[in-house]
Amino acid sequence: IVTVDCTVTSRFAHTVMTSKALNKANISQEIFFEVELPKTAYITNFSMEIENQVYVGEVKEKEKAKKQYDAAVSRGQTAGLVKASGRKMEKFSVSVNIAAQSNVTFTLTYEELLQRKLGHYEIQTRVKPKQLVEEFKIVTNIYEPQGISYVDAHATFLSNELLPLVEKTVTEKKARIYFSPTLEQQRSCAGCEGTLIDGDFIIKYDVNRAKTLGDIQIVNGYFVHFFAPPDLPRVPKNVVFVIDRSGSMSGTKIYQTKEAMLAILKDLHEEDYFGIILFDSSIDPWKDSLIKANKENVDEAMAFIKRLHDRGATNINDAVLRAVDLLRQGRSDHIVPEISIDMIILLTDGMPNVGESNLPRIQENVHAAIGGNMSLFCLGFGNDVDYRFLDVMGKQNKGLARRIFEASDATLQLQGFYEEVSSPLLSEVDLRYPDNAVDFITTNHFDQLFNGSEIVVAGRLTDNDLDNFLVEVFAQGVRKGDSRNVDIDEEYIFGDFTERLWAYLTIQQLLEKRSVNATGSEDEKGNATAKALDMSLLYNFVTPLTSMVVTKPETENGTDSPLVADKLTEVDGDPHFLIELPDRDDALCFNINDKPGTIFNLVKDSTPGILVNGQIIGDKKIPPDGKINTYFWRFGIIHRTLGVRLEVTTRDISIFQDGHRVKLVDFLVTKGHSLLVTLRDSVKFLILLHKVWEKHPYHRDYLGFYTLDSHLMTPNVHGLLGQFYHGIEYEVTDLRPGEVPEKPDATMYVKGQELNVTRGWQRDFRRDEKNGENIPCWFIHTNGTGLIDGDATDYIVSGLFKTV
């Protein structure tokens, strides 16, 4: 049984995912529950029911849940229940051992406030049952007191046969969407065991908007105010596009940027004014001042964009400051309309490496120059940008950041973002309520309201006399201010939704305040953190400050097995070596730092005569931070029994037998940059080529090395990697805060030694060669000392095919 039950009341979505599984085998086996939920949602409950015993998750402060947290982390399960999945989703996964002929019911609940974008709300449900399901059901009930204007439901997997199964019932204020294909209807083909149900089920809807000052709903002493007045004329905008043309933008990125810019320029309104700045190491404005977006000027700008090509390095600081100057000049020279909105749209794919390259200093410079007088929207193209840097800089300047994923639809991503922010209706929006009637209100000042979006304010009522509930709205736009009594709705489906919506909004805004407010004192940030934590615990939300601890049933050795689900946060790491230990559901990682040119023995198995050595290479020159990175760029592989030598570099592949070039080793080159080497009746090696922009001032192309079927090696296998092919015994205890909150330290007992280790992450590119996958691991410091046998220098060899 797989059921998704979603109830939406006034944009607040409450989703319950249930899965019931039966172990039909005659022996106990592991049963898995794996679902995906939106990144904007908070998990509020998780439970497992096994043989009439219910195991319920409990939301706790991370530090206070230390006993369970330690136990989970020592098993490699920290944050292991929640991982990133694609652009908008997180994956929640858990498994439990179930006795023969027994069943288990998993139930996961999460909540989120739906955001209005481009004129609609969206409910995205990802379903991937991976098998035929006897009872499969998606049910969504929507209740909107304002009235529903339209509802649309579709799915990425809907065939012509499945489409009629989507039942949609819509009345004035309610909508119900029901989808429940039978077992036979789920089959990918007649008689097949495969399922068609694999993808996203998406519902889009909007509400009626007849009231100028929006709609207020009150339930059990809490109110929520939705403000998105209809029929407001758009306010003219003055926009400067700041476009990165550094060498790393070469190829597909520059082409997609051109295509998006051509479409965006066509979309400018004639009352808008605009400018274009191209930057690499130099800053090149298209014109020295803003220019009106009439057809002649737009055509000229499009011809200019068509000539755009990549070159040089990245000077973000001076490019943005030049854009600020253009907008200031437009105001001082009275070029632009008095009532208009100023904005900068920055597109970059890399890190600043020319001019000012200190990230906090760039943020300070930009914030001081803008002075609260314009909005900055930052688009980070690809995986090499410091997204956190862009995110903070955008939010500090009345804007936001958006990651543009390197993919075939990047042009549409760019256009979609522009469409969201291209039609400002109001700026400096203040929503005011009677001081003696409300308290604990969420943010009630907003820098702007864009066409197709919505402002939401919630708070607690102190006065239940609603006959004189005066709402005042002040904003810059066509009308300077408005105030009136508004109609109050007091209908509802589930009683505490307004209070939970208020709590959700408050926690989100507190977390944002503590991370973005660079000018705030440590006390202010501490207070925001403490309040967000208290509310997360009170309302049972899994946020970045809390964890959900689930205690699984006792195992055969009589001990329970706690699991910890954390809200995902972005962390990074770059160890050279990742040792996965599937038996323990854990991984170890370490760096080996040595001078460029050094050759290390990675694998040596004398019985079949298999040898793998790797040579490191350094950066082209010393980077600004003074740290030279080293990478593997060449591997030598020997199979002595076959008399074969294979040399793989970042440039080419050579195979030799007895000095002659032959092909006795099977290899497969995919359409990406990977090579699979299969040694007959033995192990497989996967080598991945990571391409770096050829004109990058520091970095070079490098190779990644992975071993598949390592269990086929003999017990005598050794080397920096080989020594771990048959596992390693260790114990982790005494978990404690580390230098970075997301990376706690601990004590590891291994090979009779006591080591200080840190919980980190390593990118594994086997399944996703483009972006990689974050694998949690215990990081062993100082070249793996204490974990590896002997010293790192013991593994240095004199040649690519040498053993000493």
Side-chain angles (χ1 to χ4, degrees):
I1 297 175
V2 173
T3 303
V4 181
D5 194 331
C6 177
T7 302
V8 181
T9 306
S10 297
R11 292 71 145 176
F12 195 63
H14 174 94
T15 303
V16 181
M17 290 185 158
T18 305
S19 176
K20 186 173 183 179
L22 171 66
N23 177 13
K24 297 179 180 178
N26 293 320
I27 57 172
S28 65
Q29 63 179 15
E30 204 79 1
I31 302 291
F32 291 86
F33 174 67
E34 187 174 277
V35 297
E36 298 186 37
L37 61 148
K39 289 180 179 178
T40 50
Y42 291 151
I43 294 172
T44 62
N45 194 26
F46 173 70
S47 66
M48 300 181 292
E49 183 177 350
I50 305 167
E51 295 178 348
N52 298 319
Q53 178 74 38
V54 180
Y55 303 86
V56 181
E58 183 180 0
V59 175
K60 295 188 175 184
E61 179 186 357
K62 286 181 179 175
E63 293 303 315
K64 295 287 175 64
K66 189 169 178 10
K67 184 177 179 182
Q68 294 99 322
Y69 188 74
D70 284 0
V73 170
S74 67
R75 292 173 172 82
Q77 293 166 329
T78 306
L81 299 187
V82 184
K83 297 179 181 177
S85 179
R87 300 174 185 177
K88 298 180 179 179
M89 307 295 277
E90 292 173 356
K91 182 181 291 183
F92 177 95
S93 55
V94 68
S95 65
V96 64
N97 196 274
I98 299 298
Q101 305 301 319
S102 294
N103 59 47
V104 56
T105 301
F106 300 101
T107 304
L108 177 74
T109 305
Y110 61 85
E111 295 177 338
E112 67 169 326
L113 176 63
L114 303 177
Q115 292 184 324
R116 188 171 186 251
K117 291 182 180 178
L118 303 176
H120 64 259
Y121 308 96
E122 181 175 292
I123 306 162
Q124 180 179 3
T125 304
R126 184 160 294 171
V127 283
K128 292 178 173 285
K130 298 180 182 177
Q131 62 184 26
L132 298 173
V133 179
E134 289 185 20
E135 185 181 327
F136 178 88
K137 186 166 57 177
I138 296 176
V139 185
T140 301
N141 287 289
I142 302 171
Y143 174 67
E144 291 289 351
Q146 285 177 254
I148 296 171
S149 62
Y150 84 94
V151 179
D152 177 55
H154 69 280
T156 56
F157 53 81
L158 281 184
S159 61
N160 290 335
E161 291 75 27
L162 289 178
L163 192 57
L165 301 180
V166 179
E167 300 176 16
K168 187 171 70 172
T169 307
V170 184
T171 59
E172 182 187 355
K173 296 183 179 182
K174 294 181 181 180
R176 175 180 167 86
I177 295 90
Y178 183 86
F179 177 64
S180 182
T182 64
L183 200 70
E184 290 305 314
Q185 289 167 332
Q186 296 170 39
R187 291 188 193 276
S188 53
C189 61
C192 294
E193 290 302 309
T195 177
L196 290 169
I197 311 299
D198 182 9
D200 293 334
F201 192 88
I202 297 169
I203 297 170
K204 295 180 180 180
Y205 78 94
D206 200 16
V207 301
N208 297 323
R209 300 180 188 279
K211 302 164 189 171
T212 306
L213 290 190
D215 185 77
I216 288 186
Q217 288 153 40
I218 293 177
V219 178
N220 293 347
Y222 288 82
F223 79 91
V224 58
H225 181 193
F226 299 103
F227 180 71
D231 306 324
L232 278 180
R234 66 182 300 280
V235 178
K237 66 177 177 294
N238 315 307
V239 56
V240 180
F241 300 98
V242 182
I243 301 172
D244 187 344
R245 65 169 178 199
S246 60
S248 55
M249 286 283 291
S250 64
T252 304
K253 283 193 223 172
I254 206 85
Y255 171 78
Q256 291 175 321
T257 299
K258 283 184 186 181
E259 291 295 298
M261 277 302 300
L262 293 175
I264 286 168
L265 288 170
K266 279 184 190 173
D267 193 50
L268 287 170
H269 290 254
E270 191 154 338
E271 66 268 27
D272 293 338
Y273 283 74
F274 73 106
I276 301 171
I277 293 175
L278 307 181
F279 75 95
D280 46 81
S281 48
S282 61
I283 314 300
D284 292 329
W286 170 50
K287 303 279 187 185
D288 291 332
S289 63
L290 297 180
I291 193 166
K292 192 174 177 64
N294 58 35
K295 186 179 186 308
E296 181 183 346
N297 291 334
V298 167
D299 287 346
E300 186 184 343
M302 291 173 71
F304 174 73
I305 288 295
K306 287 175 182 176
R307 299 192 296 270
L308 174 61
H309 64 275
D310 58 281
R311 62 177 226 192
T314 308
N315 186 346
I316 292 176
N317 184 79
D318 292 351
V320 177
L321 295 185
R322 184 71 183 88
V324 173
D325 288 342
L326 271 181
L327 288 166
R328 274 190 189 152
Q329 181 187 338
R331 290 281 176 193
S332 61
D333 293 350
H334 304 290
I335 295 172
V336 302
E338 183 182 350
I339 298 179
S340 58
I341 290 177
D342 297 342
M343 64 173 70
I344 299 167
I345 297 181
L346 166 68
L347 170 67
T348 181
D349 79 327
M351 293 285 286
N353 52 25
V354 172
E356 181 59 73
S357 58
N358 180 280
L359 301 186
R361 204 166 295 132
I362 293 172
Q363 290 170 338
E364 290 169 12
N365 293 344
V366 170
H367 187 61
I370 285 179
N373 296 317
M374 53 195 75
S375 298
L376 172 64
F377 299 98
C378 302
L379 297 172
F381 203 148
N383 299 310
D384 295 330
V385 295
D386 187 325
Y387 183 74
R388 170 76 180 147
F389 157 67
L390 296 178
D391 186 45
V392 170
M393 192 162 68
K395 288 174 179 173
Q396 286 176 342
N397 296 286
K398 298 185 178 182
L400 52 90
R402 183 72 55 82
R403 191 186 295 279
I404 302 299
F405 295 87
E406 285 188 63
S408 59
D409 69 339
T411 298
L412 295 176
Q413 294 178 56
L414 289 165
Q415 288 175 239
F417 174 82
Y418 175 75
E419 193 178 345
E420 283 182 41
V421 301
S422 64
S423 296
L425 302 177
L426 298 171
S427 63
E428 304 303 331
V429 185
D430 272 304
L431 296 98
R432 301 179 189 173
Y433 309 91
D435 288 339
N436 60 351
V438 301
D439 62 5
F440 296 113
I441 63 171
T442 58
T443 299
N444 63 331
H445 173 84
F446 299 85
D447 298 317
Q448 56 257 318
L449 171 69
F450 294 108
N451 188 33
S453 67
E454 179 177 63
I455 285 173
V456 183
V457 180
R460 193 174 70 179
L461 292 174
T462 56
D463 183 356
N464 290 322
D465 180 12
L466 303 178
D467 294 334
N468 194 31
F469 196 85
L470 185 73
V471 175
E472 296 179 294
V473 178
F474 295 87
Q476 294 177 14
V478 177
R479 285 189 291 272
K480 292 289 185 182
D482 202 354
S483 65
R484 69 183 63 186
N485 291 326
V486 296
D487 295 333
I488 306 295
D489 285 306
E490 291 191 83
E491 307 170 78
Y492 53 91
I493 291 179
F494 55 99
D496 65 346
F497 94 88
T498 307
E499 182 178 352
R500 294 191 66 80
L501 185 157
W502 165 79
Y504 174 98
L505 259 186
T506 302
I507 293 167
Q508 260 195 347
Q509 292 169 359
L510 286 168
L511 292 173
E512 190 171 298
K513 181 179 178 182
R514 75 176 189 134
S515 63
V516 173
N517 187 10
T519 58
S521 68
E522 288 304 312
D523 283 348
E524 287 176 323
K525 293 178 183 177
N527 289 339
T529 301
K531 187 174 179 182
L533 172 61
D534 287 346
M535 292 188 67
S536 299
L537 294 171
L538 180 62
Y539 290 94
N540 223 56
F541 286 134
V542 177
T543 70
L545 304 176
T546 54
S547 299
M548 178 166 286
V549 179
V550 184
T551 302
K552 287 172 33 170
E554 288 191 352
T555 55
E556 292 176 1
N557 62 11
T559 60
D560 60 12
S561 175
L563 297 171
V564 176
D566 289 338
K567 186 66 182 166
L568 195 68
T569 54
E570 287 197 22
V571 290
D572 55 19
D574 185 32
H576 283 147
F577 296 95
L578 173 71
I579 314 298
E580 286 198 276
L581 303 166
D583 291 345
R584 297 188 60 146
D585 190 24
D586 205 354
L588 310 176
C589 47
F590 59 94
N591 274 334
I592 297 291
N593 295 311
D594 211 297
K595 60 182 182 293
T598 304
I599 302 173
F600 292 102
N601 171 245
L602 305 180
V603 182
K604 182 166 61 176
D605 195 347
S606 54
T607 306
I610 294 173
L611 178 78
V612 181
N613 293 334
Q615 185 174 29
I616 60 175
I617 193 172
D619 283 330
K620 297 173 186 174
K621 60 182 180 181
I622 300 176
D625 61 6
K627 178 189 174 185
I628 295 183
N629 298 288
T630 57
Y631 324 84
F632 281 112
W633 80 282
R634 191 163 71 123
F635 292 110
I637 301 173
I638 295 178
H639 195 303
R640 295 195 190 282
T641 307
L642 298 175
V644 175
R645 293 186 177 193
L646 173 67
E647 181 179 347
V648 182
T649 76
T650 53
R651 295 187 295 270
D652 49 40
I653 302 167
S654 302
I655 306 173
F656 300 92
Q657 183 174 36
D658 301 326
H660 301 290
R661 188 181 181 88
V662 295
K663 183 185 173 186
L664 275 185
V665 179
D666 296 322
F667 66 90
L668 169 69
V669 180
T670 71
K671 68 177 182 180
H673 301 285
S674 67
L675 171 73
L676 182 64
V677 181
T678 303
L679 302 179
R680 286 183 187 164
D681 303 320
S682 185
V683 71
K684 297 184 182 73
F685 298 122
L686 177 65
I687 299 173
L688 299 181
L689 170 61
H690 297 279
K691 297 287 288 181
V692 175
W693 171 50
E694 63 180 355
K695 296 178 184 176
H696 196 288
Y698 313 115
H699 304 327
R700 305 178 190 262
D701 293 351
Y702 65 98
L703 299 173
F705 183 88
Y706 300 89
T707 310
L708 312 178
D709 300 329
S710 57
H711 62 281
L712 296 175
M713 290 290 209
T714 73
N716 299 322
V717 66
H718 208 262
L720 272 174
L721 287 174
Q723 63 189 289
F724 302 106
Y725 283 169
H726 296 294
I728 182 172
E729 293 298 320
Y730 65 93
E731 182 183 349
V732 176
T733 61
D734 187 25
L735 192 77
R736 52 193 179 273
E739 291 184 16
V740 179
E742 294 88 356
K743 298 181 179 180
D745 286 345
T747 300
M748 175 180 286
Y749 295 95
V750 59
K751 295 183 178 179
Q753 302 194 59
E754 183 179 317
L755 309 179
N756 180 63
V757 295
T758 301
R759 194 64 175 169
W761 299 81
Q762 159 70 325
R763 278 203 184 283
D764 184 337
F765 291 88
R766 282 174 295 180
R767 285 172 284 274
D768 184 349
E769 293 176 27
K770 189 84 172 171
N771 305 309
E773 176 186 6
N774 279 332
I775 303 294
C777 60
W778 288 114
F779 181 72
I780 291 83
H781 302 271
T782 325
N783 287 350
T785 301
L787 176 69
I788 62 174
D789 292 337
D791 187 79
T793 56
D794 298 339
Y795 299 86
I796 296 176
V797 293
S798 57
L800 198 63
F801 298 107
K802 302 285 188 182
T803 57
V804 292

